[in-house]
Amino acid sequence: MESWKKAWKGSAPVEPFQDTEWVKWRSKFLAGRSDPSTSSDEVITLEYRAIQGQWLIDHVDVLEEDGAISREKAAQIRKFRPLQ
């Protein structure tokens, strides 16, 4: 859990792949991404942004609690969570 805190830079996670617990938890999500070896730079960039976004959504509660993001920003991010 400590790796994602270190990756946080204020606006988006920089290296979600450093969070090995998250990578294991989201293995199906990550497996569904485009293959970087056969994709264009544009697709790779979009895929990485999707991965960063999912990481941020998954960690929004802790980021807000730790003061890394504001309550308002956290509320905006929570809108992207799927209904359970």
Side-chain angles (χ1 to χ4, degrees), residues 12-82:
V14 175
E15 292 293 336
F17 293 112
Q18 291 178 355
D19 184 352
T20 56
E21 291 176 29
W22 181 81
V23 169
K24 288 176 189 173
W25 179 55
R26 285 294 188 182
S27 62
K28 288 183 183 179
F29 167 76
L30 295 169
R33 311 292 7 129
S34 299
D35 180 357
S37 66
T38 60
S39 299
S40 68
D41 289 344
E42 182 179 1
V43 169
I44 293 168
T45 299
L46 292 173
E47 290 286 19
Y48 192 70
R49 286 183 185 164
I51 291 165
Q52 287 179 316
Q54 187 61 59
W55 185 94
L56 179 60
I57 291 167
D58 291 342
H59 291 91
V60 67
D61 296 330
V62 179
L63 292 168
E64 179 186 18
E65 185 179 299
D66 287 351
I69 58 174
S70 68
R71 179 178 298 145
E72 294 79 18
K73 187 70 160 179
Q76 291 175 336
I77 293 167
R78 283 188 190 95
K79 292 178 184 178
F80 295 101
R81 283 185 170 168

Side-chain angles (χ1 to χ4, degrees), residues 3-20:
S3 64
W4 65 263
K5 289 182 182 179
K6 291 177 184 174
W8 181 254
K9 298 292 185 197
S11 62
V14 175
E15 292 293 336
F17 293 112
Q18 291 178 355
D19 184 352
T20 56

